[in-house]
Amino acid sequence: MSVTTPKGFRAAGVTAGLKSSGARDVALIVNDGPDATVAAVFTTNRVKAAPVLWTQQVVRGGVVRAIVLNSGGANACTGPLGFQDTHATAERTATALSRSSARLLIGASEVAVCSTGLIGERLPMDRLLPGIGSAVRALARSGGPAAAEAIMTTDTRPKTTVAAGTGWTVGGMAKGAGMLAPGLATMLSVLTTDAVAGADALDEALRAACRRTFDRVDSDGCMSTNDTVILLASGASGIEPSQEELTAAVTAACHDLAQQLVADAEGATKQIAIEVFGAASEDDAVEVGRSVARNNLVKTALFGNDPNWGRILAAVGTTAAAFEPDGIDVAVNGVWVCRAGTAADDRSKVDLSGRDVTIEVNLNAGGDRATIWTNDLSHAYVHENSAYST
Amino acid sequence: MSVTTPKGFRAAGVTAGLKSSGARDVALIVNDGPDATVAAVFTTNRVKAAPVLWTQQVVRGGVVRAIVLNSGGANACTGPLGFQDTHATAERTATALSRSSARLLIGASEVAVCSTGLIGERLPMDRLLPGIGSAVRALARSGGPAAAEAIMTTDTRPKTTVAAGTGWTVGGMAKGAGMLAPGLATMLSVLTTDAVAGADALDEALRAACRRTFDRVDSDGCMSTNDTVILLASGASGIEPSQEELTAAVTAACHDLAQQLVADAEGATKQIAIEVFGAASEDDAVEVGRSVARNNLVKTALFGNDPNWGRILAAVGTTAAAFEPDGIDVAVNGVWVCRAGTAADDRSKVDLSGRDVTIEVNLNAGGDRATIWTNDLSHAYVHENSAYST
């Protein structure tokens, strides 16, 4: 049920002392092959963290044998020295791995690096580098769960998944509980598979999967500097699935992780699916769903168990999607409180007492649809994010 | 110090019973001339309230002799019946005014209507229409302050202003404390002047004024369905100012009202000016300022007195503005905590104990600038907006 479920992967999660809590904070995942193909997507934020800049280069090289991840610091907005820190992290990882086994003679250019935590501060390299040594020593076929723990920041629980193919599997882990509005990629997530798949097949599968899963999570409208999703293939199953099978399994894994992210979002009391249909295009549906998901008045209303459909319509009205204002229907948890742009069923029929909320928006403008997942805006979100760095 | 400061205007604010509190809820402003020229800007939200659709038509007619405004209901998303309610409101106002004075023989097509309050519910016309009669009887040269009170919703205080020309003045009032991210226009605001000015001159002055005042308020990123700003000219001073003088006075009035809106925003504990400079264009500066203003993580950090410049950079990074990530400088209340995209002055030097916060962002990409005004995201905002309609 983790990144070590597929054959050919080992992992570890150790405590290097980056987190004051003493919790695990360095994760390492090694691909023992026989293949070492890779695909990745990254944040579209133009302010990119040093590990994102590094890993983009590594992935371009086409071979990734190891990924080292740390929580306790994002290494973003840290300038050239921050980039040197990332480089040193990859170097140390490559060296330690090469010394640990004759079969693992790898270079820094085959080591991806991910970091997460506070933006704008240098990493304590005097603790991180020894932590890498510990992680190499702790590598195990059963190390996936520990690795998933080591990348947590404000997450309250680790997030892992598995999706089964026929004779092969996809495993995965992710972290992310705030600054959660991915553009192209999201947060940190590592997926592994023992399928035989070339880089192009992996890339196609990963982009298709992200587009309809991570990319449609919009917890708080805030795009991170560090978002990275990496998919590694070991080929250890000896089975080469069709592109459709591969894409389906990777999508299932990403979908499960994305749902776990929304379920664990900072301070959330509601897990909200905004299902937009009757759209003239899928892009229109995404634009409308995202506009509703980002609207603080909609989010606070749902926190207050208030099916305030007027705020939903006001959010839809700010978009450029095709629709007529008097042609929009809105349901909250199955009750069509708005039809043709005006009040319909009695809003008092809406039951918002549970955690799950479904908002349906019918634009009555076509046949396309999309779902965006978000959360409410609660006192706990304000509290957590007004106190995070201090 | 209100809409009745300029010569030629009378106003009233009365209680019609639309608000359960018993506070004033119907305002009326009458232009006694000799002129009745007008300019207006409206919300760019495509879901427009009935009074916006009505008043757009009225303003196109070129003559506005009266404006009737109600709080206690937005009359938005109310369908064809809601539009009939607005029409009936204008009709009743025209009839009552025509009966009150032989000098005021006006038609419904010369009466602008504005509404504000909850979206999606019909107005109680059995209370509103009698209230219009009361307002006509209460009209007075000193009625401006009562009118400003009558348009308040979650506002904690009325907002009025005056800007002096040479021998003429501009007066104004506004309301708005939430759903405050105007697109082109904002909230409800009525401006009056006794200057002699044609519709074109008024339009030019009003658009120029709004573009740099109301349009740059972005309190909570949520655009209203009812935003309307109307400028009426009576010509009663007999003085025709130059376009520059007119624009300057209208801009001064709008600026003062915009600042009052930000000062009274729902639940706010901070009044934040985001000053973006070194931009390649004014549009770039506005985009960057707005992105920072809408970022919930920046807003919660400031609520927590935390000069978290990393979140500011992450918000800048989501824009398409011209800049290099390693070329951005950020100051919070005068302390340059970030230079060249990385940590600079000690963040502990930043004093955030007061209500006013200035964030300076130097993009180092050109010579243009813009300021966006916003607020923090507080527990009180969440509380107020999770309980508003219930």
Side-chain angles (χ1 to χ4, degrees):
Chain A
M1 289 297 293
S2 75
V3 291
T4 46
T5 303
K7 299 186 199 84
F9 293 94
R10 288 177 295 153
V14 300
T15 297
L18 307 179
K19 285 178 181 165
S20 55
S21 65
R24 298 180 205 266
D25 45 23
V26 172
L28 179 63
I29 299 168
V30 173
N31 183 350
D32 289 315
D35 301 341
T37 48
V38 63
V41 285
F42 301 95
T43 183
T44 54
N45 197 313
R46 290 168 60 205
V47 175
K48 295 186 205 304
V52 170
L53 297 172
W54 169 263
T55 302
Q56 284 181 321
Q57 291 181 19
V58 167
V59 169
R60 237 174 265 131
V63 173
V64 170
R65 296 205 175 272
I67 306 176
V68 57
L69 310 95
N70 74 273
S71 51
N75 197 7
C77 306
T78 45
L81 295 175
F83 191 81
Q84 286 178 24
D85 290 341
T86 294
H87 191 169
T89 302
E91 283 282 356
R92 177 66 64 99
T93 305
T95 305
L97 285 171
S98 299
R99 283 180 188 159
S100 74
S101 160
R103 290 192 307 124
L104 272 170
L105 206 59
I106 72 174
S109 65
E110 296 166 320
V111 178
V113 182
C114 300
S115 300
T116 182
L118 191 64
I119 298 172
E121 295 190 357
R122 295 279 301 280
L123 291 172
M125 297 303 287
D126 57 332
R127 287 179 227 161
L128 175 56
L129 294 180
I132 291 168
S134 308
V136 169
R137 287 189 292 277
L139 278 171
R141 277 288 292 138
S142 58
E149 267 181 47
I151 59 174
M152 292 164 63
T153 51
T154 55
D155 307 70
T156 65
R157 39 187 185 272
K159 297 159 181 79
T160 62
T161 191
V162 70
T166 308
W168 55 279
T169 55
V170 174
M173 67 180 195
K175 65 80 51 178
M179 202 177 265
L180 202 49
L184 187 58
T186 180
M187 322 125 305
L188 300 186
S189 179
V190 177
L191 298 149
T192 55
T193 181
D194 49 13
V196 176
D200 288 349
L202 293 180
D203 192 66
E204 184 177 330
L206 186 61
R207 287 184 191 279
C210 287
R211 197 170 68 83
R212 295 199 167 170
T213 58
F214 291 131
D215 276 0
R216 298 199 177 164
V217 172
D218 195 328
S219 175
D220 62 1
C222 299
M223 190 196 299
S224 155
T225 49
N226 288 53
D227 295 343
T228 303
V229 183
I230 303 188
L231 168 61
L232 304 180
S234 70
S237 71
I239 297 169
E240 183 169 0
S242 71
Q243 184 70 51
E244 290 67 35
E245 290 173 308
L246 183 65
T247 299
V250 173
T251 300
C254 290
H255 179 81
D256 185 36
L257 290 171
Q259 294 306 310
Q260 293 181 53
L261 292 167
V262 176
D264 193 27
E266 284 170 355
T269 73
K270 304 286 186 196
Q271 191 169 342
I272 304 162
I274 301 165
E275 301 177 355
V276 181
F277 60 100
S281 69
E282 191 175 340
D283 284 351
D284 271 13
V286 169
E287 183 187 356
V288 166
R290 206 174 277 283
S291 179
V292 175
R294 291 190 174 178
N295 190 283
N296 280 351
L297 291 172
V298 172
K299 292 160 86 85
T300 48
L302 291 172
F303 171 62
N305 292 334
D306 172 11
N308 195 320
W309 61 268
R311 292 178 180 180
I312 296 170
L313 249 66
V316 174
T318 63
T319 71
F323 67 81
E324 293 301 324
D326 59 0
I328 303 172
D329 305 326
V330 176
V332 181
N333 278 355
V335 180
W336 289 91
V337 287
C338 167
R339 284 195 190 274
T342 187
D345 279 8
D346 186 353
R347 44 181 285 156
S348 69
K349 290 182 190 164
V350 179
D351 179 6
L352 284 168
S353 58
R355 183 176 174 90
D356 288 317
V357 178
T358 302
I359 294 173
E360 291 166 272
V361 178
N362 185 351
L363 296 176
N364 286 299
D368 281 302
R369 64 163 53 233
T371 300
I372 300 287
W373 295 281
T374 189
N375 301 102
D376 57 338
L377 175 54
S378 67
H379 286 299
Y381 178 91
V382 173
H383 176 74
E384 190 156 346
N385 285 299
S386 58
Y388 181 61
S389 81
T390 47
Chain B
M1 288 296 293
S2 75
V3 290
T4 47
T5 303
K7 298 186 200 86
F9 293 94
R10 287 176 298 153
V14 300
T15 297
L18 307 181
K19 284 177 181 166
S20 55
S21 65
R24 299 180 206 266
D25 45 24
V26 172
L28 180 63
I29 299 168
V30 172
N31 182 351
D32 289 315
D35 301 340
T37 47
V38 63
V41 285
F42 301 95
T43 182
T44 53
N45 197 314
R46 291 168 59 204
V47 175
K48 295 186 206 300
V52 170
L53 297 172
W54 169 265
T55 302
Q56 285 181 319
Q57 291 180 20
V58 167
V59 168
R60 236 174 266 130
V63 174
V64 170
R65 295 206 176 273
I67 306 176
V68 57
L69 311 94
N70 74 273
S71 51
N75 198 7
C77 305
T78 46
L81 295 174
F83 191 81
Q84 287 177 24
D85 291 341
T86 293
H87 190 171
T89 302
E91 282 282 358
R92 178 66 65 98
T93 305
T95 306
L97 285 171
S98 298
R99 284 181 187 158
S100 74
S101 160
R103 289 193 307 126
L104 272 171
L105 205 58
I106 73 173
S109 66
E110 296 166 320
V111 179
V113 182
C114 300
S115 298
T116 182
L118 191 63
I119 297 172
E121 294 189 358
R122 297 277 303 280
L123 291 172
M125 297 302 289
D126 56 332
R127 289 179 226 161
L128 175 56
L129 294 179
I132 290 167
S134 309
V136 169
R137 286 188 293 278
L139 279 171
R141 277 288 293 140
S142 58
E149 266 181 47
I151 59 173
M152 292 164 63
T153 52
T154 54
D155 308 69
T156 64
R157 38 186 186 274
K159 298 161 181 77
T160 62
T161 191
V162 69
T166 309
W168 55 279
T169 56
V170 174
M173 68 181 195
K175 66 80 51 179
M179 203 176 265
L180 202 50
L184 187 58
T186 182
M187 319 125 306
L188 301 186
S189 178
V190 177
L191 299 149
T192 54
T193 181
D194 49 12
V196 176
D200 288 349
L202 293 180
D203 192 66
E204 183 176 333
L206 186 60
R207 287 184 192 279
C210 285
R211 198 169 69 83
R212 294 201 169 170
T213 57
F214 290 131
D215 276 359
R216 298 202 177 163
V217 172
D218 195 330
S219 175
D220 62 1
C222 299
M223 190 195 300
S224 157
T225 50
N226 288 54
D227 294 343
T228 303
V229 182
I230 303 187
L231 168 61
L232 304 180
S234 70
S237 71
I239 296 169
E240 184 169 1
S242 71
Q243 184 69 50
E244 290 65 34
E245 289 173 310
L246 182 64
T247 299
V250 174
T251 300
C254 289
H255 180 81
D256 185 36
L257 289 172
Q259 293 305 310
Q260 292 181 54
L261 292 168
V262 176
D264 193 29
E266 284 170 353
T269 73
K270 303 287 186 197
Q271 192 169 342
I272 304 160
I274 300 163
E275 302 178 353
V276 182
F277 59 100
S281 70
E282 190 173 341
D283 284 349
D284 271 13
V286 169
E287 183 188 356
V288 167
R290 205 174 277 282
S291 180
V292 175
R294 290 190 175 178
N295 190 284
N296 280 351
L297 291 172
V298 173
K299 293 161 83 85
T300 47
L302 291 171
F303 171 61
N305 293 334
D306 172 10
N308 194 320
W309 61 268
R311 293 178 179 180
I312 296 171
L313 247 66
V316 174
T318 65
T319 71
F323 67 82
E324 292 301 323
D326 59 1
I328 303 172
D329 305 327
V330 176
V332 180
N333 278 354
V335 180
W336 289 92
V337 286
C338 168
R339 286 196 189 273
T342 188
D345 277 9
D346 186 353
R347 43 181 286 155
S348 69
K349 290 183 191 164
V350 179
D351 179 5
L352 283 168
S353 58
R355 184 175 174 91
D356 288 317
V357 178
T358 301
I359 294 173
E360 291 166 272
V361 178
N362 185 352
L363 296 176
N364 286 299
D368 281 302
R369 63 165 54 233
T371 301
I372 299 288
W373 295 280
T374 190
N375 301 101
D376 57 339
L377 175 55
S378 66
H379 286 299
Y381 178 91
V382 173
H383 176 73
E384 190 157 347
N385 286 299
S386 60
Y388 180 60
S389 80
T390 49

